[in-house]
Amino acid sequence: MTLTTSAPATSVVGYDVDGSVAVLTIDNPPVNASSAAVRAGLLSGLDRALSDTGVRAVVVIGAGANFVSGSDLTEFDGPVPEPTLPTVIAAVEASPKPVVAALSGATLGGGLELALGCDARIAHPDTVVGLPEVTLGMIPGAGGTQRPLRILGPARTLEFATSGKRMPVRWAAECGLVDDIAVGPLRAAAVEFAESRAVKRVLQDLPVAADSSSADLEGAAVRVVSAGRGRPQYAAAVAAVVSGMALPARAALAFERSEFTRLRNGSEAAALRHLFFAHRATTKANKPSLPREVDSIGVVGAGTMGAGIARAFVEAGRSVILVDRNPEAATGAVERLRATYDAAVARGRMQRDDAESALLLLSAGRSVTALDGCDLVIEAVFEDMDVKKDLLRRLQRVVPSHATLATNTSYLDVDELATALDRPERLVGMHFFSPAHRAAVLEVVRGEQTSRASLDRALSAAAVLRKLPIVAGVCDGFVGNRIYNAYRRQCELMLEEGAVPAQVDRALVEFGFAMGPFAVSDMSGLDIAWRMRRSRDAVRDPAERYPDVADTLCEMGRFGQKTGAGWYRYPDGSRQPVDDSEVTRLVEQSSARKGIARRPFSDEDIVDRALLSMTNEAALLLAEGIADRPGDVDLMLTSAYGFPRHIGGLGPWVRGQDAADLDRRLADLAAVTGPGFVTADLGVFR
C-alpha cells in the first residue's frame, strides 16, 4: 500500500510515502541539475521524513532519465546560493534514518557527490557515473575527492576524480561505489532495498581504504599532473586527496571546498564554462529541423581522409561503401582498417566482436555505380575544383534522387562546386578534420542554394557521428581555415620582421597552443597551402605584403615531414623537428630583399599579434554572416585548431583585455600589415 502526500506544486522535489519509505523525487528538467531549488527541496523533504513516525528510511530518486546530472553551472558565476550541496549532504549524514540514493542516467559531479553522501546506492543498469569537474577547471567541491577514499583508496580516487570520464555502473558496483544494481523498475527496487537492507553508513566516518602504497599514489599524482599539462585543477586534486589522508575528515572536506571555490572563481573555470554554454547553444541551434536518414553512406576517395570518414561512420554503426578511381586503393583502405583493428584487439583496446561488426559494415566498391542506394555520398578526392566538379557530375547520374551530395573541401567555393549539378540544392559542405574518426567537430557549409533537406542530412550525419556541427557560410576557408590562414600569415610576416620559426612556435606552445604554426605546416604538408596560394595569384592585390619564404621552401622540394625537411629538418625519418640554419638564412634574405629592418620579438609580442590577427578575422566572419555566433568560433578553434581551452577562445581573451588598449594594438597591427588588412569591430566579442 502506498500513502502519498504531495509536496507543493511549485516544488522541484516531490514527497510521497511507499510503505515505510519516504520517496523524494527530484523533478528539475531537462537533466535534473542540482540547483538551489532542488537542494532546498531535498532539505525540506528530509525534514518531513524525519518528522514522520511511520517512515523508516528515505529514497532519493530522479523523476526523469537522470538522478542528478551535475550542478547548475549558471550558479557558478557568483556566490553559490544557499543551501549549498555540502549543507544538504551534512543533513543526510546527520539523519538518524538511512537514506538510499536511486541512481539512473548520467549521475555526474554533484549528483554523484550527493549519492556518496547517502548511506547506500542502488542504480539502474544503464547508469553512468563520473566527476567531470576537472574538465571545467575545478575539482569536486562536495566530497568527491574525500568519500571515495573510503572505498577506492587514494590512488584510484585521484585517477577517478581527475579522469573526467563517465564510467559504467557495473564498474562502480565492482569497486563498491554502488551497492546494488536494480533488477526491474528502479523505484520499486530502491524502496525494497531501503525497507529491508538500508542501515546508516556514513562514508566520511570510515577510514581511508588502504589499497595502495605511497609509491602508488606518487605515481598516480605524477601521471595526473602530467596528463593535465600542469593545469591548476590537477595539482589541486592531488592536494585534496593528500589532505584526505593526512587531516581529520571535516578539515579535509573544508580544504577540498576551499580549493573548489578558489578554482571556480578563477579565469580558467570561467573560460571553460563559456565553452560549455557555447557548446550547449550550438548543439541546440544546429539540430536538423527534420532528421534525415543516414543509414547508407558512400565515400569517394580512399586516401587518408576518405578512409577516415568511412571509419567514422562504420564505428557509428552505419553501412559504408568506399570508392576510389583506383579500385585497389579502396580495397587497400579496407584492409588497412582491418589491420588497425587487429592491432587494437591484440593490445586489448578493442573487442574482436566490435572489430568484426564494424568491418562488416564497410565494403569497397569498384566504381561510383556502387553508390546507387546511398542516402549520403561524400566526396573526399583531391582538392581541385575541376576534379571535384567532374566527380559531382558523375555522381548525380548515379545516386538516388533523395540522396544528398556532400563535399569534404577545406577551402574551395561550395557555390562554384554546386554549378556542376543539375540540382545545386543537393550539395552541402561537410569539412571533416583529421583524424576524421576522432575529431570532435564537423564544419557544415551551407551554400547559397543548399536546401534545408541537404543541410538537415549533414546535421543528422553529425548527430550519428556524435560530432559537434558548426555551420558556416561560403568563403575562402570557411570559419576555421580562414581564421587559421590569417594567423599563419601574421606568423610568417613576423619572420620577415625579425622572428624565427622556432621562437614563434615555442611562444605559442607555451601560451597553450597544441602546436606552433610552423610545426603544424610541416606535419600537414607545405604543398597544400602552396597550391591554394598559387590558385589565388591572379586575384591577389600586388600591393599586399606577401610572405614568400614558404613558397621558396616548396620550390626547393621541402614539403615538411613527408620529405624530411620543411620549416625544420627531420633527419632519418624522425618526426621530431630540428632547427635548420638554412631556413634562418632564407628568412634573413627575404627581409633584406624587401628592405625590412629586422628587430627582436618577445614571446609576448608574438602571442599578442597572433591572437589579434585571429580575433580580427573572426570578427569579420561574424559581421559577414559566415559564422553564426562568437561561441561557434571559440568552439571551432579550441576543438579543431589546438587553441588553448583554458583560455576559452577569442571571446574570453578579448573580454580580458582593456578595450581601448586592444583597439590601439589592432590599429598598430593594421599599420604594420599594410594594404589589404581590413580592421573589424571587436565589440562583437565583448
Side-chain angles (χ1 to χ4, degrees), residues 296-317:
S296 179
I297 315 299
V299 179
V300 185
T304 301
M305 181 55 74
I309 294 170
R311 178 178 178 179
F313 277 105
V314 299
E315 291 181 358

Side-chain angles (χ1 to χ4, degrees), residues 220 503 554 567 581 673:
Q503 180 193 10
C554 290
W567 290 104
S581 59
T673 304

Side-chain angles (χ1 to χ4, degrees), residues 306-630:
I309 294 170
R311 178 178 178 179
F313 277 105
V314 299
E315 291 181 358
R318 295 303 190 269
S319 174
V320 177
I321 301 173
L322 181 62
V323 174
D324 194 273
R325 64 180 179 179
N326 176 6
E328 285 70 31
T331 303
V334 175
E335 291 308 310
R336 284 194 299 276
L337 182 58
R338 180 180 296 279
T340 297
Y341 285 166
D342 286 345
V345 170
R347 292 194 299 268
R349 295 181 179 177
M350 192 176 194
Q351 295 296 317
R352 172 59 66 185
D353 288 348
D354 293 338
E356 293 301 330
S357 295
L359 289 166
L360 284 173
L361 293 170
L362 179 61
S363 61
R366 300 293 298 177
S367 73
V368 294
T369 58
L371 308 177
D372 60 353
C374 294
D375 303 314
L376 171 66
V377 176
I378 304 166
E379 70 78 11
V381 298
F382 189 68
E383 191 80 344
D384 178 272
M385 181 67 76
D386 292 336
V387 171
K388 289 181 182 289
K389 276 187 171 183
D390 179 66
L391 174 59
L392 290 170
R393 291 188 189 99
R394 289 187 288 126
L395 285 173
Q396 71 177 348
R397 296 193 292 268
V398 173
V399 301
S401 59
H402 78 277
T404 295
L405 296 172
T407 173
N408 177 51
T409 182
S410 304
Y411 292 94
L412 296 180
D413 187 329
V414 173
D415 291 333
E416 176 64 23
L417 287 170
T419 64
L421 299 175
D422 296 335
R423 291 171 50 208
E425 69 274 9
R426 299 179 75 179
L427 186 66
V428 64
M430 292 179 66
H431 176 206
F432 286 80
F433 295 90
S434 184
H437 66 288
R438 287 210 309 261
V441 169
L442 176 65
E443 193 170 30
V444 176
V445 185
R446 56 182 177 222
E448 185 176 347
Q449 298 191 63
T450 300
S451 68
R452 184 69 226 191
S454 296
L455 184 62
D456 281 347
R457 184 93 63 187
L459 296 176
S460 297
V464 164
L465 297 171
R466 296 186 178 180
K467 295 182 184 295
L468 175 70
I470 295 179
V471 176
V474 175
C475 70
D476 188 26
F478 317 124
V479 173
N481 278 338
R482 179 166 155 184
I483 295 172
Y484 189 80
N485 284 344
Y487 156 76
R488 182 174 57 195
R489 177 170 181 258
Q490 284 296 335
C491 289
E492 292 183 14
L493 290 177
M494 283 190 275
L495 298 188
E496 293 184 344
E497 297 165 26
V500 293
Q503 180 193 10
V504 173
D505 279 357
R506 185 190 67 249
L508 290 163
V509 168
E510 289 182 357
F511 175 72
F513 279 83
M515 294 177 69
F518 299 106
V520 169
S521 292
D522 276 1
M523 183 178 69
S524 59
L526 275 70
D527 50 323
I528 298 172
W530 187 38
R531 285 196 302 269
M532 298 312 301
R533 290 194 299 274
R534 292 280 70 88
S535 70
R536 298 186 59 80
D537 282 347
V539 297
R540 185 178 298 109
D541 182 350
E544 281 186 22
R545 284 184 65 185
Y546 181 77
D548 56 8
V549 175
D551 289 358
T552 303
L553 292 172
C554 290
E555 290 160 4
M556 296 168 64
R558 297 177 59 130
F559 296 143
Q561 290 182 8
K562 60 189 175 185
T563 59
W567 290 104
Y568 301 98
R569 287 186 298 107
Y570 300 87
D572 302 323
S574 169
R575 294 194 175 188
Q576 292 300 315
V578 175
D579 287 351
D580 191 343
S581 59
E582 175 68 8
V583 173
T584 302
R585 184 182 67 81
L586 292 173
V587 167
E588 292 172 346
Q589 285 181 346
S590 178
S591 302
R593 188 169 59 250
K594 296 177 180 181
I596 299 173
R598 295 179 65 79
R599 65 178 180 85
F601 274 81
S602 70
D603 288 358
E604 292 76 14
D605 292 337
I606 291 168
V607 170
D608 190 64
R609 183 155 164 184
L611 266 61
L612 269 175
S613 64
M614 297 175 83
T615 304
N616 187 74
E617 200 66 33
L620 292 174
L621 281 168
L622 289 161
E624 295 166 17
I626 302 299
D628 290 341
R629 287 165 293 276

Side-chain angles (χ1 to χ4, degrees), residues 17-81:
V17 178
D18 194 336
S20 63
V21 177
V23 180
L24 309 185
T25 305
I26 302 169
D27 189 6
N28 186 30
V31 294
N32 268 6
S34 171
S35 64
V38 167
R39 297 189 295 271
L42 288 172
L43 285 180
S44 176
L46 184 60
D47 285 345
R48 190 169 177 179
L50 294 180
S51 64
D52 189 335
T53 57
V55 167
R56 176 193 172 277
V58 179
V59 164
V60 182
I61 193 170
N66 300 305
F67 173 64
V68 174
S69 65
S71 298
D72 181 353
L73 294 183
T74 61
E75 295 182 342
F76 281 15
D77 287 334
V80 177

Side-chain angles (χ1 to χ4, degrees), residues 172-403:
E174 288 169 4
C175 66
L177 291 178
V178 166
D179 298 286
D180 201 0
I181 297 177
V183 177
L186 178 61
R187 173 175 165 138
V191 168
E192 189 279 329
F193 186 103
E195 282 187 318
S196 62
R197 290 186 280 166
V199 296
K200 287 299 297 180
R201 182 174 180 257
V202 177
L203 288 182
Q204 201 58 24
D205 290 345
L206 302 179
V208 172
D211 73 334
S212 62
S213 67
S214 59
D216 293 332
L217 178 58
E218 182 180 352
V222 170
R223 290 192 299 273
V224 161
V225 174
S226 176
R229 296 189 175 185
R231 301 313 312 161
Q233 63 268 39
Y234 295 92
V238 172
V241 168
V242 171
S243 75
M245 300 170 63
L247 300 177
R250 189 178 298 276
L253 281 169
F255 177 80
E256 177 199 70
R257 188 69 180 181
S258 67
E259 287 294 275
F260 161 79
T261 301
R262 176 179 67 83
L263 293 166
R264 176 179 65 80
N265 290 330
S267 61
E268 181 163 340
L272 293 171
R273 288 197 296 275
H274 161 75
L275 291 175
F276 174 88
F277 288 117
H279 192 287
R280 176 182 289 179
T282 298
T283 301
K284 182 177 180 180
N286 290 343
K287 285 183 178 179
S289 58
L290 180 65
R292 301 281 173 169
E293 299 86 356
V294 192
D295 297 324
S296 179
I297 315 299
V299 179
V300 185
T304 301
M305 181 55 74
I309 294 170
R311 178 178 178 179
F313 277 105
V314 299
E315 291 181 358
R318 295 303 190 269
S319 174
V320 177
I321 301 173
L322 181 62
V323 174
D324 194 273
R325 64 180 179 179
N326 176 6
E328 285 70 31
T331 303
V334 175
E335 291 308 310
R336 284 194 299 276
L337 182 58
R338 180 180 296 279
T340 297
Y341 285 166
D342 286 345
V345 170
R347 292 194 299 268
R349 295 181 179 177
M350 192 176 194
Q351 295 296 317
R352 172 59 66 185
D353 288 348
D354 293 338
E356 293 301 330
S357 295
L359 289 166
L360 284 173
L361 293 170
L362 179 61
S363 61
R366 300 293 298 177
S367 73
V368 294
T369 58
L371 308 177
D372 60 353
C374 294
D375 303 314
L376 171 66
V377 176
I378 304 166
E379 70 78 11
V381 298
F382 189 68
E383 191 80 344
D384 178 272
M385 181 67 76
D386 292 336
V387 171
K388 289 181 182 289
K389 276 187 171 183
D390 179 66
L391 174 59
L392 290 170
R393 291 188 189 99
R394 289 187 288 126
L395 285 173
Q396 71 177 348
R397 296 193 292 268
V398 173
V399 301
S401 59
H402 78 277

